[in-house]
Amino acid sequence: MGNRPAELRALLESVAKQDGDPIEVVVVGNGSPLPPLAVAGLTVRTVELSENVGIPAGRNVGIEAFGPAGRDVDVLLFLDDDGLLPGQDTAELCRQAFTADPRLGIISFRIADPDTGVTQRRHVPRLRASDPLRSSRVTTFLGGANAARTRVFAEVGGLPDDFFYAHEETDLAWRALDAGWMIDYRADMVLHHPTTAPSRHAVYHRMVARNRVWLARRNLPAPLVPVYVGVWLLLTLARRPSPPALRAWFGGFREGWSTPCGPRRPMKWRTVWRLTRLGRPPVI
């Protein structure tokens, strides 16, 4: 977004220090001009968009900068501009993981606060999140700290542009799993990122609700759509948000039902069973 130039430079410097072959980088200015980004040992290309098109659309622009569906490379890393790779072996660990498992499509990194080392529970992409140091197969991933095989994008498409913010990763993850790909959470691949609350974004409550409904309408078998949405309605009420937050949430909830959600491609029932075996049936 152009308001963290020092953090962005630190991130790029941490990428330049990675072991193994040099990493080619594209930085997308999402509605913001970019500062000079010359970093020793790193090839950096920039794309400046005239307006903020949202997180998923911005990342899709980055993907296409490496050719259609990113086909010029085998794997893409997606890193938030205020993150930093503390280890120099993360890229090599990614290469090894994708080489060892041909069906591995996406790797979700562990996000840790740089000062405390703490990983927030919401940054562990599974229901059993009490032990962030345990790696496992998962059913979704973290958008700002991941690596993805470009064959996944070629096969199932990119992130859903219209989501703008929230749940775009799960939409892609469900499509990837339905196509037979697997997703790993790797606790040994770390991105340092300051502890934050997602509600800091003004659009948070509205878009979380709207995109939950869109996610279900786009991807779930018809009988599971009301179950999934109903469970999240009850969970939201149980968390007792403030009246303004609840009003924004219900506004987004209504919008999710009344506006187009994009193409509907319901997952196979065997994918529902796979998600269930992985610990997260697609109703929670």
Side-chain angles (χ1 to χ4, degrees):
M1 294 297 294
N3 56 356
R4 295 188 283 246
E7 292 88 341
L8 175 57
R9 174 164 291 277
L11 169 65
L12 294 176
E13 289 173 351
S14 75
V15 172
K17 294 175 183 176
Q18 292 297 299
D19 298 334
D21 294 335
I23 298 175
E24 187 177 349
V25 174
V26 168
V27 177
V28 178
N30 208 346
S32 174
L34 292 169
L37 295 174
V39 175
L42 202 64
T43 300
V44 180
R45 289 181 287 156
T46 60
V47 180
E48 293 187 2
L49 304 179
S50 60
E51 62 178 316
N52 180 4
V53 296
I55 293 172
R59 288 185 177 139
N60 284 337
V61 169
I63 294 170
E64 295 297 311
F66 292 96
R71 69 184 182 190
D72 295 346
V73 294
D74 296 322
V75 172
L76 288 174
L77 306 183
F78 295 85
L79 304 171
D80 273 355
D81 64 350
D82 55 346
L84 185 143
L85 295 172
Q88 296 184 21
D89 62 346
T90 304
E92 275 297 292
L93 289 172
C94 286
R95 294 183 183 105
Q96 293 168 14
F98 285 118
T99 300
D101 187 351
R103 296 312 300 169
L104 178 60
I106 302 170
I107 299 172
S108 190
F109 300 171
R110 179 168 65 89
I111 293 179
D113 184 273
D115 297 322
T116 66
V118 171
T119 296
Q120 292 179 271
R121 188 179 183 90
R122 70 185 181 91
H123 284 152
V124 183
R126 59 178 179 243
L127 290 179
R128 296 179 179 177
S130 59
D131 183 6
L133 299 181
R134 179 175 65 87
S135 300
S136 69
R137 294 281 201 204
V138 289
T139 62
T140 188
F141 63 98
L142 307 175
N146 71 82
R149 201 187 293 266
T150 54
R151 283 176 55 201
V152 173
F153 304 121
E155 189 169 338
V156 307
L159 295 155
D161 286 353
D162 291 340
F163 277 42
F164 196 87
Y165 166 78
H167 306 317
E168 67 272 7
E169 301 92 350
T170 300
D171 186 89
L172 176 59
W174 282 1
R175 285 182 280 127
L177 289 163
D178 196 48
W181 295 101
M182 301 303 293
I183 305 170
D184 279 356
Y185 167 71
R186 287 285 297 266
D188 57 335
M189 300 183 190
V190 180
L191 181 81
H192 277 174
H193 188 284
T195 298
T196 58
S199 55
R200 71 190 186 280
H201 299 291
V203 297
Y204 172 76
H205 295 287
R206 170 179 151 252
M207 290 198 174
V208 160
R210 183 196 68 182
N211 292 357
R212 284 276 184 208
V213 178
W214 279 1
L215 180 68
R217 289 174 58 197
R218 285 164 58 92
N219 295 288
L220 291 181
L224 295 185
V225 173
V227 179
Y228 178 85
V229 174
V231 166
W232 280 103
L233 171 61
L234 294 175
L235 285 173
T236 300
L237 295 174
R239 290 167 178 168
R240 304 178 70 178
S242 67
L246 195 59
R247 284 195 296 273
W249 193 95
F250 272 109
F253 186 79
R254 288 190 295 270
E255 187 180 348
W257 290 110
S258 61
T259 56
C261 64
R264 173 168 165 76
R265 299 187 182 94
M267 66 178 64
K268 309 174 190 72
W269 282 103
R270 68 169 176 264
T271 305
V272 173
W273 177 235
R274 174 187 290 180
L275 289 164
T276 303
R277 288 191 290 113
L278 288 170
R280 188 151 198 166
V283 294
I284 301 175

